[in-house]
Amino acid sequence: MRQTTTALLWRAGLAVALVCGIGLLPWLSRTDPALTVLKARSADRDPTPEVLAAVRDQLGLEAGPLTLLGRWAGGLFHGDAGHSWISGDAVTPAVLEALGASLLLMAAALAAAALTATAVCARTLRLGARLRLDAGRPGGGGGSAMLAALPEFLTASVLATVVGVQLGWLPALGWYGPRWTVLPGLALGLPAGAVLGRLLDDLLPSAFAEPWARAAAARGLSGRSIARQAVRRCLPALLPNAGLFVVGLTGGAVAVEQIFDIPGLGRTTLQAALAQDLPVLQAGTLVLLLLAAVSTGAAHLAARLLIGPALRDRALPTLHRRRPPAPSRLPLLYGGLLLAVVAAGLPRDPLALDTDQRLRPPSATHPFGTDALGRDLLARVSHGALDTLLLASGISAAALLVGVLLGLLPRLSGPLVDTVNAVPPVLGALLVTAVAGGGTATPALAVGVVAWAPLAAHTSALLRQERAALHLTATVALGAGRGHLLRHELLPAVVPPVARHALLRLPGTALALASLAFLGLGAQPPSPEWGLLLAENQPYAERAPWAVLAPAAVLALLGALAVAASGGVRLPRGRGRRRATAEQTSPDSELVTAR
């Protein structure tokens, strides 16, 4: 009871700190909120001292930020979140309406993600159900990694242009019914499903190798039943990350909501942040925090129900057995292709302008074509690789370290993960910029602040199950201490899958850096950074598709390389082999898994 109370107080304190930080955003960023609100209301009106004074008086800015926060918090007890500083309308109905649109979009995205994850794991499920799975051969890793590496705003633009406008199969603009949810749901669900599918595909071979699967096949159970139980066995380790995706699909769908003109919560929060409409921004953030708490609680409850009493009785077999590393040819192939592209473009000038060669298709002179200013795309992709890859790799390594360390302390990191994940990436960038100021390090800091959260959630989920494993109970009975268990049992089992997860998110980290360019917080022209290339050339996607396909293809290649390289991250050879052998030969494990 005491631990639960402490966790609730920690979670509430983090939520209060975040909401207060948002309430102080204009003052932290040293901007005049009256001027920002005036520009949002009427961009053509002159900001004379008299006009600004009238705005301050109307909004009560002279009372100071703490008084404003107190008034806003006091109204929450009566269900009143205040009135918008821009429109003057009540905030609560507007935020609830935006939440409804986001929840409907989230449901469509989760359906698309579930179908995508099933397709990614189809080969493993089919072979595992027949007990013919070769753990040394990876599943459809390359294709799923390329899908996960595609930016959501690019996928949304392609779907809207091709499926919605050119083919006319589905509506591409607006929000008027179920048919309008299909394309944006696909744009959000395809990358999320690819990531979740890869994480599930990573655990399934160990589940199919457990004794219960052989016993079920010997008793004549159908392959479909065995596959269904294997998925159920792996789901508890994935549910925390699925909960993070739920919140991310609600608050982080800003680009997709803008492309399809969806009045969702992410878009509403972004517009409020840019206009410094604090009542709307604080209410939207508070709703996202509540959604994060509900999603996390539901994920933990579902995990406990799926595992059953085995978690309490410490009677689980481990899912992290020794497996042969993935074949080394794929990383060499993908890495060689990436190096060849970079080497071919480095001798070229990425800044040379030639207006006579605007939007030229690929040719012998320009293998990747040219952009809207006649610059060679191969040169820009190659020169942008160094900054993009080095920065994304550094952030991913730091996120892995922080995620594992905090994941080992779930009572501390659990509420912190929920709070960080509830903040839309764009809002997080604005907060970091307000506190740390602008500069070359601001994008990396803004992305790094949130990049560790999924890895910490993954670490905590795996650690919870690994602590209940049979071999760990036997090791404790033999007198092993906490330090020995951590160094020789827990970390060797948890770190490899989390490291593979971090590699899978490497392209996403590069895209997160790129998304900040839309707010002027990331790379600036004429930088050849890959995300900026996508943003600059997106308006010409229909007329010159090669302008966006070139950087998108390189990002997809990076994703395939990351997943292929992650196949070599395995348990230490001796430890993993002894553990797998001990569990496979233990009669107790057969009895427990057969219950």
Side-chain angles (χ1 to χ4, degrees), residues 133-488:
L133 186 62
D134 180 8
R137 293 183 59 191
S144 61
M146 292 182 179
L147 188 61
L150 291 178
E152 294 172 352
F153 67 85
L154 178 61
T155 306
S157 298
V158 171
L159 290 174
T161 302
V162 177
V163 180
V165 177
Q166 294 182 351
L167 299 178
W169 291 347
L170 290 167
L173 193 67
W175 192 251
Y176 304 104
R179 293 181 68 241
W180 277 262
T181 65
V182 177
L183 293 183
L186 286 174
L188 289 171
L190 290 176
V195 174
L196 290 175
R198 281 299 307 161
L199 295 178
L200 178 59
D201 196 63
D202 188 49
L203 294 174
L204 281 173
S206 294
F208 282 119
E210 290 179 351
W212 67 263
R214 297 193 299 272
R219 293 179 181 179
L221 266 70
S222 65
R224 181 174 299 180
S225 298
I226 296 174
R228 185 167 58 249
Q229 292 302 319
V231 172
R232 179 179 177 177
R233 173 71 179 89
C234 299
L235 276 181
L238 300 181
L239 284 175
N241 267 281
L244 296 183
F245 273 111
V246 167
V247 183
L249 292 175
T250 306
V254 178
V256 174
E257 289 178 354
Q258 286 186 332
I259 290 173
F260 290 100
D261 194 23
I262 300 173
L265 190 59
R267 184 183 178 191
T268 300
T269 306
L270 171 63
Q271 291 174 347
L274 294 177
Q276 294 188 355
D277 191 353
L278 294 187
V280 177
L281 180 57
Q282 291 169 161
T285 304
L286 185 60
V287 169
L288 288 174
L289 288 171
L290 294 175
L291 179 62
V294 171
S295 300
T296 301
H300 286 306
L301 178 61
R304 287 184 176 275
L305 292 176
L306 287 172
I307 295 176
L311 182 65
R312 180 198 61 214
D313 298 338
R314 297 184 178 273
L316 281 174
T318 181
L319 278 175
H320 308 291
R321 306 172 188 272
R322 163 74 183 172
R323 283 189 280 157
S328 59
R329 294 181 180 178
L330 286 177
L332 292 176
L333 174 62
Y334 296 141
L337 288 175
L338 190 58
L339 286 176
V341 170
V342 173
L346 284 179
R348 299 168 178 258
D349 186 359
L351 303 179
L353 301 178
D354 187 355
T355 55
D356 293 334
Q357 298 293 321
R358 295 178 65 253
L359 299 177
R360 294 288 183 178
S363 63
T365 306
H366 304 287
F368 283 3
T370 62
D371 64 6
L373 297 177
R375 295 173 296 191
D376 184 74
L377 282 174
L378 176 59
R380 294 185 63 75
V381 167
S382 300
H383 284 265
L386 300 179
D387 293 337
T388 302
L389 292 179
L390 289 177
L391 191 56
S393 300
I395 293 174
S396 297
L400 174 61
L401 178 61
V402 175
V404 170
L405 291 178
L406 289 180
L408 296 175
L409 304 170
R411 293 174 186 170
L412 171 68
S413 63
L416 189 59
V417 167
D418 297 339
T419 304
V420 168
N421 188 68
V423 180
V426 172
L427 178 57
L430 289 174
L431 289 173
V432 170
T433 304
V435 176
T440 56
T442 299
L445 183 60
V447 174
V449 165
V450 299
W452 61 270
L455 304 178
H458 195 190
T459 300
S460 298
L462 296 177
L463 189 67
R464 188 180 304 112
Q465 292 197 67
E466 195 65 22
R467 281 175 172 166
L470 283 169
H471 72 89
L472 204 65
T473 304
T475 306
V476 172
L478 293 174
R482 292 184 177 182
H484 177 88
L485 293 177
L486 181 64
R487 292 192 306 271
H488 298 283

Side-chain angles (χ1 to χ4, degrees), residues 516-529:
L516 300 183
F518 288 101
L519 286 179
L521 302 176
Q524 298 297 309
S527 170
E529 195 268 337

